[in-house]
Amino acid sequence: MRIVVTIDGPAGAGKSTVAKSLANELGWRYLDTGALYRAVALIAGERGVTSDDAHGLGALTAALQITQDPQGRTFVADRDVSADIRSETVSDGASRISAHPPVRAALVEVQRSVAQAGHLVCEGRDMGTVIFPEAQLKVFLVADARTRAMRRAKDLDAQGEPCDLEELVAKIEERDRRDTSRATSPLEKHNDMVEVDTSDLSIEQVLERLQQLVAEQVER
Ligand code: DC
């Protein structure tokens, strides 16, 4: 039986880092669904499709060949967009374009087809609620907005992108508001999810907690 572990939560809660490490530890496939929305936002920006054009964005998403390899690198056709999708402009664009149902519908198949490949750890906003409601373990990662902004500032610094911490806190809060209040597949914690607050935990501690949850709750 295929096993799926879902990790949902807001931007900067640590989903990507721990989901990737957990998948690695378990020897399972990893799927970063935020990267798929980011790839659409990147290409839409390059082609001049605006973030309020639901129809145009839906058509664009359906026409793009977006894939992710087992290491979590994201491709549009044969172009590796893994680095280009990490800018602040793309973060903001991804949160905007992901509110449109045609964009979400076009990406559902990409996400489910990856799951055919075997046991999976996936992360996003609607993994446990919409895409893999049957998952054996559903985690909801949270952290306070300031901690998340500080983590983001560190990432941007490493990429050579200067940033202002207060501005980042405001942007993160704005993305939270957008991701949780949209009509289609909003970010929400359901009763069958285990919440893990990462504010005061190191990556290693979060990983340890998730490994413990897998050992307790996943039949292998
Ligand atoms: O996890 P992330 O920061 O890379 O995600 C970027 C944006 O994509 C996020 O603000 C909302 C959207 N997203 C989504 O709507 N559903 C998902 N499953 C994953 C991401």
Side-chain angles (χ1 to χ4, degrees):
M1 187 181 55
R2 181 196 67 181
I3 302 169
V4 177
V5 171
T6 61
I7 303 180
D8 287 305
K15 299 186 301 293
S16 297
T17 314
V18 293
K20 202 185 277 187
S21 308
L22 182 66
N24 207 24
E25 290 283 328
L26 294 166
W28 295 359
R29 179 80 203 250
Y30 161 64
L31 175 66
D32 169 3
T33 61
L36 307 178
Y37 289 93
R38 287 170 178 269
V40 174
L42 173 75
I43 305 296
E46 289 176 354
R47 298 196 187 167
V49 184
T50 55
S51 62
D52 57 355
D53 179 4
H55 183 74
L57 287 165
L60 174 72
T61 310
L64 290 177
Q65 199 205 336
I66 305 176
T67 52
Q68 203 166 89
D69 71 11
Q71 288 73 43
R73 274 181 312 185
T74 304
F75 294 82
V76 176
D78 54 7
R79 172 180 168 196
D80 183 348
V81 296
S82 310
D84 294 346
I85 59 175
R86 295 294 153 196
S87 71
E88 270 304 283
T89 310
V90 173
S91 298
D92 186 63
S95 171
R96 290 174 192 278
I97 61 107
S98 63
H100 300 302
V103 172
R104 306 200 72 83
L107 287 179
V108 166
E109 281 321 306
V110 178
Q111 297 170 67
R112 295 215 171 115
S113 69
V114 169
Q116 305 306 320
H119 301 337
L120 176 74
V121 179
C122 57
E123 51 124 333
R125 303 291 187 289
D126 59 347
M127 296 298 95
T129 51
V130 177
I131 306 294
F132 300 112
E134 76 289 2
Q136 284 179 309
L137 171 63
K138 302 182 187 184
V139 177
F140 196 78
L141 278 196
V142 294
D144 60 70
R146 184 156 293 271
T147 304
R148 292 187 283 130
M150 279 159 63
R151 290 175 184 163
R152 184 75 188 132
K154 226 170 131 189
D155 287 348
L156 288 172
D157 204 41
Q159 290 167 34
E161 247 190 86
C163 60
D164 175 84
L165 187 62
E166 294 315 314
E167 224 174 85
L168 275 182
V169 174
K171 274 189 184 168
I172 279 205
E173 286 174 344
E174 169 63 15
R175 276 176 71 195
D176 286 355
R177 193 198 53 72
R178 226 186 277 128
D179 294 347
T180 54
S181 65
R182 66 179 177 227
T184 310
S185 311
L187 169 67
E188 56 188 0
K189 187 189 158 216
H190 282 193
N191 287 338
D192 60 356
M193 295 179 180
V194 183
E195 181 171 303
V196 177
D197 187 333
T198 71
S199 305
D200 298 316
L201 300 180
S202 66
I203 291 163
E204 291 72 26
Q205 287 171 317
V206 180
L207 185 59
E208 215 170 282
R209 174 81 183 111
L210 297 197
Q211 284 169 324
Q212 192 189 349
L213 287 170
V214 170
E216 285 167 8
Q217 298 194 17
V218 176
E219 281 176 33
R220 287 190 273 166

